[in-house]
Each structure stands twice: as C-alpha cells, then as structure tokens.
Amino acid sequence: KILIKCDDSPKDWCIVELQGTAEAPDGKLDGLVLGNMFLRDNKPHLIIGNHELVGQYKEQKPALLVLQKVVDGKAVGAPTASTDVDAMDVDEQAPQTDGEDQVSSTYYDVVGVIRKRLVFNTRPKTLLFKKDP
C-alpha cells in the first residue's frame, strides 16, 4: 500500500530540457549556476557563457508529480518526479510499532506538479561582446 498525501494545492514546476551534455571542470554540477534564463517575446532564452539558446514551452503529457518521501514525519532525500508508482522507493512492510504504540509510517507528500517543459533543442547562437577601450 502506497500512501500519497497532498495537504495544500501543490506548486507548478517546470522541466528544463536541454540537448547535449553539460560538463563542469571538476565533474560535479551540484550547486553550479548553469546560466541565466529569461523571457523575451514570450519565449525562454538561456545564456550559457557566450552562447544563447532559444527554447519553447511544451505541454508535459502525462503530468508528473513531484514527490517527497516522508518517514515518521521527517522528509527523506530530495523530491523526485515520477508517474511510475513501481519505480518509487516503497517500504513493502506494514507499519510497525516502536514499543510506545506509535505507528511508524512512510508516505509520499506531493510538493509539485509538472505540466510544462521548457525545451531547448536548437543549436546555440554565439554571442559577441564589444570590449570597452
């Protein structure tokens, strides 16, 4: 049995889809700023170094839920997006008591819904900057 809980209305999230490979000098992307994103003429633009990518909004079908695993009232790990219940890390055992008749419970909290994607699938445009004398 998988318990999924949604107290408030979940926030809308968006997936950023890039073509190619992002590499960092030390091999770790965690915590790095990839680039700057902004909207111009209702289209998303992403500037990475001296390259500009122009993207487009696409609908995410089916919508994805962003779930946060909660064990004994404490969030565990980072939120994950999934439509596949079989792929979730689920405890197969029934809830157990810890000696004080409190039930140890595991459930998933819905923290977001992904309904849109920002797709950047065109070749980047090179930006040339004018140096001040």
Side-chain angles (χ1 to χ4, degrees):
K1 177 163 122 172
I2 300 170
L3 298 175
I4 296 179
K5 181 177 158 187
C6 184
D7 288 336
D8 303 328
S9 61
K11 295 180 180 178
D12 282 334
W13 286 36
C14 187
I15 291 178
V16 177
E17 188 175 306
L18 301 171
Q19 304 297 318
T21 305
E23 295 179 0
D26 63 357
K28 297 180 183 179
L29 292 174
D30 189 30
L32 285 180
V33 175
L34 181 63
N36 295 314
M37 189 179 303
F38 60 93
L39 291 174
R40 183 186 309 147
D41 299 327
N42 240 3
K43 288 189 176 185
H45 290 251
L46 177 63
I47 296 181
I48 302 173
N50 64 340
H51 299 285
E52 180 181 18
L53 296 149
V54 179
Q56 56 188 324
Y57 285 102
K58 292 199 174 185
E59 197 171 336
Q60 173 61 42
K61 286 193 177 181
L64 300 173
L65 293 178
V66 181
L67 304 172
Q68 173 73 56
K69 186 175 184 178
V70 179
V71 178
D72 294 330
K74 296 178 186 165
V76 177
T80 57
S82 180
T83 57
D84 185 7
V85 172
D86 294 330
M88 291 191 292
D89 179 22
V90 178
D91 295 336
E92 295 294 332
Q93 304 171 0
Q96 299 179 11
T97 60
D98 62 4
E100 296 178 7
D101 291 333
Q102 291 181 337
V103 176
S104 171
S105 62
T106 299
Y107 64 91
Y108 288 87
D109 194 16
V110 177
V111 295
V113 178
I114 300 171
R115 293 185 178 103
K116 293 193 181 208
R117 297 179 292 149
L118 297 177
V119 180
F120 295 92
N121 58 1
T122 58
R123 294 188 70 63
K125 184 170 64 171
T126 303
L127 301 174
L128 299 175
F129 297 102
K130 189 178 187 183
K131 274 193 166 184
D132 291 335

